[in-house]
Amino acid sequence: MLYQHSPDSTLRQLVKKPEQINIDTVITAYQLGDPGIINLLTRAVRSLSAVLNNVPC
């Protein structure tokens, strides 16, 4: 979705088609400071931590 709706995304510089995006591409975009990827990963980690926080021990 970022690839298609964010013309300034680093993803567009790393791959020619969205189908080529993999975890290595995402990590590279993160390391290069892509704001969309940083935001997406931050939200994903927060969501995951909230779920794990609610798992009974």
Side-chain angles (χ1 to χ4, degrees):
M1 187 162 180
L2 277 174
Y3 183 90
Q4 294 154 330
H5 298 291
S6 182
D8 298 330
S9 175
T10 305
L11 292 174
R12 291 181 169 274
Q13 298 170 13
L14 299 173
V15 297
K16 295 187 187 298
K17 296 185 270 183
E19 299 83 31
Q20 296 174 318
I21 298 171
N22 58 36
I23 189 64
D24 292 325
T25 311
V26 172
I27 291 169
T28 300
Y30 179 87
Q31 291 171 332
L32 291 172
D34 185 301
I37 292 293
I38 292 170
N39 184 36
L40 181 69
L41 291 177
T42 300
R43 289 187 352 225
V45 169
R46 284 184 183 152
S47 295
L48 179 59
S49 67
V51 168
L52 293 175
N53 194 37
N54 290 314
V55 173
C57 294

